[in-house]
Amino acid sequence: MSDRAILHLARAWCFLRHPAICMRTFNHSGMLPHPARPSTYVDKFLWRKIFDHNPFFATACDKLASKAYALSTCPELRSAKVLWSGRDAREIPSELLAGDVVVKANHGCRWNIMIRNGRADKAKLTRRTSRWMRRRYGRKFGEWGYKGAERKVFVEEMLLEDGQPIRLEYKFHVSNGMTAYVYAARRDEHGNEVSFRS
C-alpha cells in the first residue's frame, strides 16, 4: 500500500472516529481538515486534539494551575493577582467587587465578567457563574485538556493602562521550547474580539 493510500485511510479514520470535531473544525474554518498529515494551522490544532494527549495540556487549560506553573518557572513574571477563588460566587467578599476586577471561570474559555468601578449586578453574576460551574468546557470542540481543570470561579485584578482595561491580548504558541506563533487580539469593553493580527 502506498504512503498516499495510508494517509487517505488515516484521514478517513479521523473523520469516522471523531466526526463531530472534524465537522465543527470545517464549519469554523471553511477548510476540509487533514489531521493525518497536518500542514495548516487548523490541521495542526485538530491533530493535537486527536493524537497528542500530552498530560501537561491539562495544566495549561487550568487557568489557576497554569498561572502557578508560570510563576514557579519565572517568578519575576508580571501577572494579574488572584484575589479570591472558590466554587460559589455568592461567597465573593463584597469589597472585592467594589473596584475594577474580572470574575473568571477556571475551567473554561471566554467565561469572564468585567466589573468596572464596582458596578456589579450580583444576581446576574450568580446566574452566570452557576451556569459555568455546571458545564464541562471543551467537549464540543474536542479540547480534552479542560476535562481535568478544577471547576472554580475566581476574582482577578483588572490590568489597567491609563485608567482603562488593557484591550490588547497576546497569545504565544510554543513548540519545542521556542515561540513559533504569536497571536494578538484587540477587544472591546465587553471582551469581544474586534481585530487581530498574527
Side-chain angles (χ1 to χ4, degrees):
M1 186 179 292
S2 69
D3 290 347
R4 184 183 294 271
I6 292 170
L7 286 172
H8 281 305
L9 286 173
R11 187 184 199 187
W13 177 88
C14 291
F15 291 166
L16 291 171
R17 181 68 179 81
H18 304 278
I21 61 171
C22 288
M23 182 55 67
R24 288 187 184 112
T25 298
F26 170 72
N27 290 339
H28 182 71
S29 68
M31 299 169 52
L32 190 62
H34 198 329
R37 188 183 181 190
S39 59
T40 68
Y41 184 73
V42 170
D43 291 343
K44 290 173 183 177
F45 260 90
L46 184 56
W47 176 89
R48 175 159 279 177
K49 291 175 184 179
I50 295 173
F51 297 109
D52 187 4
H53 283 211
N54 182 335
F56 184 72
F57 294 157
T59 299
C61 291
D62 182 316
K63 288 186 175 74
L64 294 171
S66 62
K67 183 187 287 279
Y69 174 81
L71 291 172
S72 72
T73 58
C74 185
E76 67 275 15
L77 183 68
R78 294 178 62 193
S79 174
K81 293 183 181 70
V82 175
L83 306 173
W84 178 90
S85 68
R87 297 184 58 81
D88 189 340
R90 290 174 296 185
E91 298 175 3
I92 300 172
S94 296
E95 60 269 22
L96 291 184
L97 302 178
D100 297 320
V101 295
V102 184
V103 179
K104 298 182 176 183
N106 181 55
H107 60 292
C109 180
R110 295 182 181 171
W111 289 349
N112 310 310
I113 301 172
M114 298 181 72
I115 296 173
R116 292 280 284 143
N117 303 314
R119 292 192 294 269
D121 182 333
K122 293 189 178 179
K124 182 178 180 181
L125 180 72
T126 299
R127 286 195 304 272
R128 285 183 64 184
T129 55
S130 295
R131 189 164 60 245
W132 295 343
M133 292 299 290
R134 291 193 301 269
R135 292 179 61 190
R136 176 64 71 190
Y137 185 86
R139 186 177 300 166
K140 181 177 180 181
F141 288 102
E143 295 166 305
W144 60 268
Y146 285 100
K147 185 178 180 181
E150 188 174 359
R151 294 189 196 189
K152 279 189 173 182
V153 174
F154 66 98
V155 181
E156 194 174 68
E157 69 172 332
M158 183 181 293
L159 299 178
L160 302 173
E161 186 175 57
D162 298 325
Q164 296 298 318
I166 294 175
R167 300 276 167 80
L168 193 58
E169 173 187 332
Y170 291 98
K171 294 181 182 179
F172 296 86
H173 296 256
V174 179
S175 176
N176 197 30
M178 300 289 290
T179 300
Y181 179 85
V182 178
Y183 171 96
R186 186 168 294 280
R187 301 185 180 279
D188 64 19
E189 63 274 15
H190 304 294
N192 300 312
E193 185 179 290
V194 292
S195 64
F196 75 94
R197 63 178 183 270
S198 60

